[in-house]
């Protein structure tokens, strides 16, 4: 059984000892982890990992992900290259305008429908006319995305849908301990945006691993342009799960009053988790993503993998259709 290991305390030292990793905290406490369990090391603090430990994790087909103080993924070691045949197919689909457009449209449609479904569930009890109007608007935008003929138009549709969707958060969060003044990403300016942004980083590391599991290249996306600084396929697949995993989790945490204003620090216009609160949010995320989805007996993490494998099938089907024609 493999697992995510969070290295989130300053001064931790990680070394290799035979077939296991030794994790020594600053106060001298030592834990041992079999290498077979070391699927992913997630570094969120100033820690030391020996060369031997790094090589052992990578040889075990694992990865090491570094998250900076802002909650963004700064870099990753391991799990970058896909399978050669799929790399060729992926690049061909990207280069073919019609194939790329079809895949990108599917991504945007799935994201918008996920946003609509969240609001539909929430509005069963709220019965708010403004939210109802947004639900109708999102349904129309999803259909528009399906028929869109350009990536530029798709991005515009996605942006309109996102604004309409996030505008409803002021209603969804009314009566809670937190205020909503719109989506602010870089930097997050308030606790709700801080939870969303940090949550998306947690989602990113699971999407990266799903892409590697499916044998895809993270750098070749379809909705997002090729960018040497970002892995565009990661951001493509994240779009589908931002609403269904992170947005739902954040709304749940707020509804259950799991976090308070005192769990955040605001400095120079930037809002971040306090360290203990960050650890609690990570624990909530890991528990939530491991639970079965509402409409299927499958964990959310496995559903991410299924989506990545579904993309592989989609590309094969497009290739097969081209050969037949």
């Amino acid at each position: 059984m493999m697992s995510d290991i969070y290295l989130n305390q300053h001064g931790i030292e990680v070394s290799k000892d035979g077939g296991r990793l030794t994790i020594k905290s600053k106060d001298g406490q030592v834990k041992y982890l079999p290498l077979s369990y070391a699927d992913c090391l997630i570094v969120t603090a100033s820690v030391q990992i020996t060369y031997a430990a790094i090589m052992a994790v990578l040889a075990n087909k694992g990865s090491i992900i570094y998250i900076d103080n802002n909650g963004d993924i700064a870099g990753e070691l391991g799990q970058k290259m896909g399978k050669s045949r799929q790399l060729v197919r992926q690049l061909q689909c990207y280069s073919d305008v019609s194939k790329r457009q079809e895949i990108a449209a599917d991504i945007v449609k799935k994201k918008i429908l996920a946003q609509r479904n969240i609001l539909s569930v929430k509005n069963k009890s709220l019965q708010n006319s403004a939210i109802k109007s947004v639900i109708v608007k999102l349904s129309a935008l999803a259909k528009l995305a399906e028929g869109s003929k350009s990536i530029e138009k798709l991005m515009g549709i996605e942006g309109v849908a996102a604004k309409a969707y996030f505008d409803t958060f002021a209603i969804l969060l009314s009566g809670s301990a937190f205020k909503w003044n719109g989506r602010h990403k870089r930097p997050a300016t308030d606790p709700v945006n801080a939870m969303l942004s940090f949550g998306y980083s947690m989602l990113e590391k699971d999407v990266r691993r799903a892409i590697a599991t499916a044998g895809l290249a993270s750098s070749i996306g379809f909705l997002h342009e090729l960018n040497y600084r970002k892995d565009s396929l990661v951001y493509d697949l994240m779009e589908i799960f931002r609403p269904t995993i992170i947005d739902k989790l954040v709304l749940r945490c707020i509804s259950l009053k799991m976090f308070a204003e005192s769990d955040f620090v605001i400095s120079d216009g930037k809002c971040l988790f306090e360290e203990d609160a960050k650890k609690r949010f990570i624990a909530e995320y890991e528990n939530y993503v491991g639970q079965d989805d509402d409409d299927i007996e499958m964990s959310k993490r496995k559903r991410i993998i299924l989506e990545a494998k579904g993309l592989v099938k989609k590309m094969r089907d497009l290739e097969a259709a081209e050969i037949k024609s």
Side-chain angles (χ1 to χ4, degrees):
M1 179 180 177
M2 295 182 174
S3 60
D4 292 347
I5 307 301
Y6 285 88
L7 304 176
N8 50 19
Q9 293 182 353
H10 295 300
I12 286 178
E13 297 177 359
V14 181
S15 59
K16 180 178 177 292
D17 179 16
R20 64 185 183 179
L21 294 180
T22 299
I23 303 174
K24 184 178 179 180
S25 64
K26 195 173 182 179
D27 61 7
Q29 292 186 353
V30 179
K31 295 181 180 179
Y32 299 99
L33 179 74
L35 279 171
S36 58
Y37 279 69
D39 182 38
C40 183
L41 302 184
I42 302 163
V43 182
T44 66
S46 178
V47 306
Q48 292 184 343
I49 308 175
T50 66
Y51 175 81
I54 292 172
M55 291 299 103
V57 171
L58 298 183
N60 198 44
K61 305 300 181 185
S63 62
I64 303 172
I65 294 175
Y66 292 86
I67 297 179
D68 65 21
N69 290 333
N70 294 325
D72 297 323
I73 290 185
E76 176 187 20
L77 298 178
Q79 293 195 348
K80 278 284 185 181
M81 293 304 295
K83 297 175 183 176
S84 58
R85 182 67 192 95
Q86 286 179 188
L87 285 173
V88 173
R89 184 181 292 118
Q90 199 174 337
L91 190 55
Q92 287 173 338
C93 284
Y94 174 82
S95 302
D96 187 303
V97 175
S98 62
K99 290 178 183 176
R100 181 186 174 192
Q101 177 65 31
E102 185 171 337
I103 294 171
D106 189 52
I107 291 168
V108 173
K109 179 184 175 182
K110 285 179 177 177
K111 178 182 182 180
I112 295 174
L113 289 178
Q115 292 170 329
R116 183 202 66 183
N117 293 343
I118 287 174
L119 296 184
S120 295
V121 171
K122 293 290 183 183
N123 211 37
K124 284 181 180 179
S125 58
L126 293 173
Q127 292 294 305
N128 183 279
S129 59
I131 292 179
K132 186 176 180 180
S133 295
V134 172
I135 292 169
V136 172
K137 183 175 184 177
L138 292 177
S139 295
L141 287 169
K143 288 182 180 180
L144 196 60
E146 189 174 26
S148 177
K149 299 300 181 184
S150 79
I151 299 296
E152 185 178 359
K153 287 182 179 178
L154 269 177
M155 294 297 284
I157 292 168
E158 188 276 332
V160 171
K163 184 180 186 311
Y165 167 71
F166 278 119
D167 280 349
T168 68
F169 273 45
I171 302 169
L172 297 178
L173 298 176
S174 62
S176 75
F178 299 106
K179 301 286 186 183
W180 178 256
N181 295 309
R183 181 75 179 107
H184 300 283
K185 305 174 185 179
R186 299 181 184 279
T189 55
D190 57 82
V192 181
N193 276 294
M195 284 188 273
L196 288 170
S197 293
F198 189 75
Y200 294 148
S201 291
M202 295 293 96
L203 174 63
E204 181 180 339
K205 58 95 175 172
D206 278 318
V207 169
R208 286 181 176 279
R209 293 164 65 196
I211 288 170
T213 298
L216 293 163
S218 61
S219 59
I220 306 172
F222 301 96
L223 177 63
H224 295 87
E225 295 288 348
L226 295 182
N227 186 330
Y228 73 93
R229 293 175 298 174
K230 292 184 177 181
D231 291 327
S232 56
L233 185 62
V234 175
Y235 295 99
D236 280 5
L237 293 187
M238 279 180 67
E239 298 295 352
I240 299 170
F241 295 101
R242 288 177 191 268
T244 57
I245 296 180
I246 302 306
D247 298 356
K248 285 177 70 174
L249 172 61
V250 170
L251 290 172
R252 176 177 176 272
C253 286
I254 293 171
S255 175
L256 296 178
K257 300 180 180 179
M258 294 181 178
F259 297 95
E261 291 276 357
S262 58
D263 289 317
F264 300 87
V265 176
I266 298 178
S267 177
D268 297 325
K270 182 190 303 181
C271 183
L272 298 171
F273 271 113
E274 286 275 14
E275 284 304 312
D276 286 344
K278 182 192 292 186
K279 292 174 186 177
R280 285 191 283 120
F281 185 86
I282 289 171
E284 286 298 326
Y285 171 82
E286 290 297 334
N287 179 59
Y288 189 70
V289 83
Q291 294 174 359
D292 285 355
D293 234 335
D294 296 335
D295 56 346
I296 188 171
E297 290 185 2
M298 178 186 296
S299 74
K300 296 172 182 66
R301 180 172 280 126
K302 287 183 180 178
R303 195 154 189 173
I304 297 171
I305 295 172
L306 187 66
E307 186 67 38
K309 290 181 176 179
L311 177 56
V312 173
K313 183 180 183 301
K314 176 75 172 178
M315 291 191 294
R316 284 180 186 154
D317 290 346
L318 289 172
E319 184 179 60
E322 184 179 51
I323 293 171
K324 285 182 181 180
S325 64

